[in-house]
Amino acid sequence: MRAFTPFTQLLALCALAASAAAADYTGPLFDAHLHYNEEAWNGQAGPHPLEDVLARMQRNGVRAIVANSRPNDGTRSLASSPQVRQAGVTVVPFVRLYRSRADYDNWYRDPAIYEMVETELARGTASGPYRGIGEFHLYDSANANGPIARKLMALADDKGLAVLAHVDDAAIDLLMANTGSRGQKTRLIWAHTGIGGAPVARVDQLFARYPLLMGELSYRPGLTCEGGTLCPEWRALLVKYPGRFMVGSDTWVNQRWQYYDDTMKGYRTWLGELPPALARRIAWDNAADLFGVKAP
């Protein structure tokens, strides 16, 4: 048997690394969790005017976005932009519940928020009707039973709107209980699939319980291991539920825009570890199918 010298071993490792890099996912991306908040654009005087954020999407192969912004002006500006349409980026608009940061920890009990949502839904956007509600936060899961939280979940279920919720696993059950279908027809997108790090077994349990629950994977603790590769238990979960996961950027502060390229590169790296059909579903098809967006 031929012995490998240190040099030939180094060559083999280099070849392996090159092969891994070549395996990165190269198809379109659907950013299912994008904010274009006031501090990003600020009447076009902010650090990330429309031209800047659109360039970031284009160079990363992002061909569709779920836009939800504080306030909703940012989403409407994306939806009405001829530049966005010309670039081939589809905007799926959501009504966000925040007029300002003060609404983050009060929305679930403020009647003015419900009125604002109804007004926005009636108003719509230049790219069409709003398709969902959120993102919203619940820092205490018990607030899922707040009067406005209950009304909004019932409204979403009744109108077939998706819901983007940044909550813990306990709040998922509470929110679903407040819908007419008890969560069986509720299209809830779980932001970060539990940023608090709910165990994979608990995520599995919730996915089995609620057939339309979707997991958005930005900044999900434990998703990737050393070198940005998928952790084994998460790979197994993605394989088990191929139609239930999607990716997003969560540009909630300006710094996230500065790292937009790195975020999308990270997705392409671990998506490349999956079978091509599964990678395509998580990167694009699952979100596109949910909102009826045509393939680019």
Side-chain angles (χ1 to χ4, degrees):
M1 180 180 293
R2 181 181 176 185
F4 286 96
T5 67
F7 179 70
T8 56
Q9 289 175 330
L10 178 60
L11 287 178
L13 287 172
C14 289
L16 182 62
S19 174
D24 283 2
Y25 170 77
T26 58
L29 292 172
F30 195 128
D31 184 344
H33 186 164
L34 182 141
H35 305 295
Y36 194 35
N37 292 334
E38 185 174 29
E39 60 269 23
W41 53 272
N42 192 25
Q44 293 298 305
H48 300 291
L50 186 61
E51 294 78 10
D52 174 81
V53 299
L54 186 57
R56 293 172 193 272
M57 295 177 207
Q58 286 184 292
R59 67 175 175 255
N60 286 286
V62 173
R63 301 297 302 275
I65 59 173
V66 166
N68 67 108
S69 311
R70 168 185 44 76
N72 289 297
D73 304 56
T75 293
R76 287 195 299 270
S77 70
L78 290 169
S80 65
S81 168
Q83 295 167 279
V84 173
R85 289 193 294 274
Q86 291 165 8
V89 176
T90 298
V91 178
V92 177
F94 275 34
V95 181
R96 200 158 194 213
L97 309 187
Y98 306 148
R99 299 158 299 185
S100 67
R101 289 188 179 276
D103 291 326
Y104 276 55
D105 57 4
N106 192 54
W107 68 267
Y108 54 85
R109 60 189 175 193
D110 184 353
I113 296 299
Y114 190 83
E115 294 172 8
M116 182 265 287
V117 170
E118 288 191 308
T119 299
E120 286 292 338
L121 290 175
R123 177 183 190 176
T125 75
S127 67
Y130 285 102
R131 305 297 302 278
I133 295 170
E135 180 195 21
F136 60 72
H137 298 72
L138 288 172
Y139 302 113
D140 180 346
S141 57
N143 290 329
N145 286 326
I148 302 307
R150 294 170 67 95
K151 287 183 69 174
L152 286 173
M153 289 304 297
L155 176 70
D157 218 39
D158 182 58
K159 292 186 175 293
L161 297 168
V163 175
L164 179 59
H166 178 129
V167 299
D168 64 14
D169 56 299
I172 293 291
D173 281 324
L174 295 174
L175 291 169
M176 294 298 201
N178 290 330
T179 67
S181 69
R182 305 287 291 181
Q184 297 307 294
K185 297 180 180 179
T186 307
R187 300 188 301 165
L188 193 151
I189 302 169
W190 192 4
H192 320 293
T193 319
I195 200 165
V200 167
R202 174 61 170 155
V203 177
D204 191 349
Q205 181 188 57
L206 290 170
F207 272 44
R209 182 175 298 161
Y210 304 113
L212 299 182
L213 177 63
M214 307 287 287
E216 184 271 322
L217 295 169
S218 61
Y219 310 109
R220 208 298 169 181
L223 176 67
T224 56
C225 291
E226 186 176 357
T229 60
L230 275 174
C231 293
E233 61 179 359
W234 269 96
R235 180 188 176 95
L237 194 67
L238 299 180
V239 169
K240 184 175 182 178
Y241 296 103
R244 307 283 288 277
F245 289 100
M246 54 188 70
V247 299
S249 60
D250 189 17
T251 48
W252 69 284
V253 291
N254 286 342
Q255 184 185 35
R256 299 298 192 195
W257 280 113
Q258 295 164 23
Y259 289 99
Y260 196 86
D261 294 10
D262 292 338
T263 299
M264 296 305 159
K265 170 60 178 173
Y267 284 135
R268 290 189 180 279
T269 296
W270 64 253
L271 285 167
E273 301 173 39
L274 297 170
L278 176 56
R280 168 77 182 214
R281 292 190 75 169
I282 296 169
W284 176 267
D285 291 346
N286 291 340
D289 291 348
L290 182 62
F291 298 113
V293 176
K294 296 180 180 179

